[in-house]
Amino acid sequence: VLREVAGAVVGREPDTIALITHPRLLAWYGRPVVDALASAGLKATVVTVPPGERSKSLASAGRVLAELASGGFTRGGVILALGGGVIGDLAGFAAAVYHRGARFMQIPTTLLAQVDASVGGKVGVDLKAGKNLVGAFLQPLAVFADTETLATLPRRHLRNGVAEALKHGFILRAGFVDRLLQSRRRVEARDASVLAELVAESVEMKAQVVAEDERDLSGSRARLNFGHTVGHAIEAALGYRKLLHGEAVSIGMVAEARVASRLGLCPRHVPEVVERALEEYSLPVTLPPDLGPEQLVRLMRADKKTEGGKLSMALPREVGSAELVKGLEPDVVRQVLREMSRHA
Ligand SMILES: NC(=O)c1ccc[n+]([C@@H]2O[C@H](COP(=O)([O-])OP(=O)(O)OC[C@H]3O[C@@H](n4cnc5c(N)ncnc54)[C@H](O)[C@@H]3O)[C@@H](O)[C@H]2O)c1
Ligand SMILES: [Zn+2]
């Protein structure tokens, strides 16, 4: 798949090209793309940022934009985002605002980015106040997901991506959850063809939801946020360290499924199925000991999706179905989190 990138870029007849990535990924996967572009007579401006969620910031976006400008990148150019969700969100954001909008393509190299982050056109950066608080909608021209790049991905990051893939199953298709559990060994062994099937099905599910509600207005797309109201609060409380995004979402999905069950919105087996599936992939399902329910609820109330002190969550109705529920009393959430920290 990586070999197809240069040809696809050339086909778009860009004036200039920029590649945004991390140093290691440049060495492993970026160079061949840059070289192939050079053979086609196109010189790419390469911009690297350090790995880690902290590169998804306004400061880092500022540095990237300055380097694009000094590298002579033009409005008619194409930005290539080579990396995980951090690079995709950051480079996409840079594309959205550079000269009021350049074009971009995604080359996701983490499982999380392949199954989720590279699809749907949400780009942006975090503020200290919370994740993804600044951003835009910008659909990439194309997404090139090469599952062979996952061979170098650390095991923990592989599982991190499985969390978002499982999420798609939990909210949209119970059969997908079963398939993921049945193929666990081959997924963990990085079987490129099993991974390609998993990525394709996950993308198909997400793309359908996005197509129904691209701008996140009707509540349909908000279903993709299952686990994220609690998950984002956990990430913010930990200062975006210690837990990966998918790990925080994993704990969040268990918490939110329990909230749904407690409110009688789903049968009691739903939180059990969610928890067991995540545990199969060694994903965390209990609150880290140093996080208090009070602190998390406070952070949830500060989130951009709260209204009048009440919380909004995408809650499961069954395994494979979910809906956005607004006006939730923080108390129910507090009780569930208390229960989850006792079990930790
Ligand atoms: N835009 C969206 O719709 C959307 C959806 C889900 C998540 N996200 C965002 O995605 C981000 C998380 O993305 P992530 O989990 O991909 O993390 P990440 O981008 O930080 O990548 C994880 C780590 O893996 C390294 N890496 C990447 N590819 C590699 C490879 N092939 N081999 C070895 N190492 C590799 C990276 O350098 C980094 O250190 C979060 O900021 C989250 O908010 C966005
Ligand atoms: Zn997510």
Side-chain angles (χ1 to χ4, degrees), residues 112 116 131-132 164 167 224-226 228 232 235 245-246 249:
L112 182 138
D116 188 355
K131 266 182 75 87
N132 304 327
E164 296 272 25
K167 178 194 75 181
L224 296 169
N225 271 332
F226 174 45
H228 284 62
H232 281 163
E235 286 186 277
H245 175 70
V249 168

Side-chain angles (χ1 to χ4, degrees), residues 214-242:
E214 187 177 350
R215 298 264 152 170
D216 209 355
L217 296 171
S218 74
S220 180
R221 182 167 185 165
R223 288 176 294 165
L224 296 169
N225 271 332
F226 174 45
H228 284 62
T229 304
V230 172
H232 281 163
I234 293 173
E235 286 186 277
L238 295 172
Y240 305 106
R241 284 179 291 251
K242 276 200 197 163

Side-chain angles (χ1 to χ4, degrees), residues 14 17 32 35 51 53 75 77-78 100 112 125 131 147 168 194-195 209 236 251 256 259 276 279 294 320 322 328 330:
I17 295 167
D35 292 347
E53 181 74 26
R75 185 171 179 206
V78 168
R100 295 200 184 82
L112 182 138
V125 297
K131 266 182 75 87
T147 49
H168 291 149
V194 168
L195 287 168
V209 170
I251 301 169
E256 295 180 15
V259 167
R276 233 180 301 128
E279 273 187 313
E294 240 1 278
L328 291 167

Side-chain angles (χ1 to χ4, degrees), residues 20 53 68 70-71 84 144 149 153 175 223 242 270 290 303 337:
I20 303 179
E53 181 74 26
L68 290 175
S70 66
F144 299 91
T149 63
L153 193 68
R223 288 176 294 165
K242 276 200 197 163
V270 174
D290 41 340
D303 192 87
L337 292 174

Side-chain angles (χ1 to χ4, degrees), residues 11 29 36 46 83 88 103 126 146 149 171 201 218 257 260 263 268 279 283 290 299 328 333 341:
Y29 306 116
V46 176
R103 298 172 293 171
D126 307 328
D146 188 334
T149 63
I171 62 170
E201 189 169 358
S218 74
L263 292 172
R268 243 178 297 182
E279 273 187 313
L283 285 157
D290 41 340
L299 285 161
L328 291 167
V333 182
S341 48

Side-chain angles (χ1 to χ4, degrees), residues 22 24-25 28-29 51 53 56 84-87 89 109-110 112-113 116-117 119 122 131-132 149 152-154 157 160 164 206 245:
H22 299 308
R24 275 207 311 182
L25 297 179
W28 292 344
Y29 306 116
E53 181 74 26
K56 224 181 95 175
V86 164
I87 288 288
D89 285 10
T109 62
T110 63
L112 182 138
D116 188 355
V119 181
K122 281 194 180 181
K131 266 182 75 87
N132 304 327
T149 63
T152 51
L153 193 68
H157 283 277
N160 184 50
E164 296 272 25
K206 177 163 180 183
H245 175 70

